[in-house]
């Protein structure tokens, strides 16, 4: 009986070792089922198109939703998500939270900026600093208005001028 058991054990272990040897040299194909694969979905919504309902559904507070929509209506939309920081009440911490919810799918065309009639909030929406806004206000107060690009170049820095020159209008806004 012992001899038979020994013989079975030897045969069994030989089969196992030969199977392992075959496994070592075999080519394997990795097959993943669609059930096991986890797709990385981009759950963010387009800040330039999202409706009030969609934003509220993402737990964006009503006051921020209203400000985001107002920004879009005034400027034409967002080139970059960093523009959220131009909105009153949105600082770095809030921006970081909001940036996780939004994306920009395609570039928009900014609306014209009527420099002589824009209030401080609108100037800020277009990216002017407090210092630049003050300089624009002082210039308009002294000269009644900014007439053209030549005058505007005297008031704001070159980088800002280059960024906005195609969108700035000097006549009064037509309603």
């Amino acid at each position: 009986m012992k001899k038979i058991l020994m013989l079975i054990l030897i045969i069994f272990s030989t089969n196992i070792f030969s199977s392992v040897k075959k496994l070592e040299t075999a080519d394997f194909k990795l097959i993943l089922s669609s059930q096991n694969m986890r797709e990385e979905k981009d759950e963010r919504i387009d800040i330039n198109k999202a409706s009030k309902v969609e934003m509220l559904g993402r737990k964006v507070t009503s006051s921020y939703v209203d400000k985001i929509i107002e920004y879009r209506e005034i400027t034409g939309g967002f080139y970059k998500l960093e523009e959220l920081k131009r909105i009153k009440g949105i600082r770095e911490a809030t921006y970081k939270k909001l940036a996780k919810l939004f994306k920009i799918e395609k570039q928009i065309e900014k609306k014209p900026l009527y420099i002589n009639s824009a209030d401080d909030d609108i100037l800020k929406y277009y990216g002017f600093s407090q210092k630049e806004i003050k300089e624009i206000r002082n210039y308009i107060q002294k000269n009644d208005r900014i007439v053209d690009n030549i005058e505007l170049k005297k008031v704001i820095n070159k980088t800002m001028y280059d960024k906005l020159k195609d969108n700035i209008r000097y006549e009064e806004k037509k309603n």
Side-chain angles (χ1 to χ4, degrees):
M1 181 76 158
K2 286 183 182 181
K3 289 184 180 183
I4 293 175
L5 282 175
M6 256 328 224
L7 184 62
I8 292 173
L9 185 60
I10 291 171
I11 292 171
F12 182 71
S13 60
T14 306
N15 284 340
I16 289 176
F17 288 122
S18 66
S19 295
V20 168
K21 194 70 169 167
K22 287 178 187 175
L23 285 175
E24 287 176 355
T25 59
D27 289 332
F28 289 97
K29 291 183 181 177
L30 183 59
I31 301 171
L32 298 174
S33 75
S34 60
Q35 293 172 333
N36 294 334
M37 289 175 41
R38 209 173 149 187
E39 283 186 37
E40 289 294 322
K41 277 189 165 182
D42 189 356
E43 298 288 333
R44 299 175 301 156
I45 55 177
D46 186 353
I47 196 165
N48 289 318
K49 292 181 183 175
S51 69
K52 184 172 187 167
V53 172
E54 288 175 304
M55 287 189 256
L56 290 170
R58 299 296 171 125
K59 306 282 192 257
V60 179
T61 63
S62 181
S63 64
Y64 289 139
V65 170
D66 292 340
K67 291 175 183 180
I68 290 168
I69 290 172
E70 176 187 55
Y71 183 94
R72 287 190 325 204
E73 289 172 356
I74 291 171
T75 66
F78 294 82
Y79 282 134
K80 301 182 296 185
L81 289 177
E82 289 82 18
E83 291 176 44
L84 281 164
K85 296 177 194 175
R86 296 178 184 171
I87 297 173
K88 188 174 186 172
I90 299 179
R91 296 218 166 95
E92 190 64 31
T94 305
Y95 162 72
K96 285 180 180 178
K97 290 176 187 174
L98 292 173
K100 292 176 184 176
L101 303 173
F102 294 111
K103 65 182 173 183
I104 296 173
E105 287 186 353
K106 62 180 182 176
Q107 289 300 314
I108 50 91
E109 190 172 318
K110 288 283 189 181
K111 289 183 178 179
L113 168 61
Y114 293 87
I115 193 87
N116 290 302
S117 59
D119 65 22
D120 291 0
D121 288 336
I122 292 173
L123 292 173
K124 187 176 178 191
Y125 281 177
Y126 279 86
F128 289 103
S129 67
Q130 284 302 121
K131 181 182 175 192
E132 290 169 322
I133 292 170
K134 186 177 180 181
E135 289 173 12
I136 290 168
R137 293 285 166 249
N138 288 340
Y139 190 90
I140 291 172
Q141 190 174 19
K142 281 184 190 174
N143 302 292
D144 191 41
R145 62 194 325 270
I146 299 172
V147 177
D148 57 22
N149 290 357
I150 296 168
E151 286 185 10
L152 184 62
K153 281 183 180 181
K154 295 176 187 175
V155 181
I156 64 173
N157 70 50
K158 181 178 176 7
T159 305
M160 188 57 120
Y161 172 79
D162 289 340
K163 190 164 74 171
L164 293 173
K165 66 183 175 189
D166 296 330
N167 288 66
I168 295 181
R169 304 293 181 270
Y170 301 97
E171 69 276 4
E172 294 303 313
K173 185 176 181 179
K174 299 167 191 166
N175 290 328

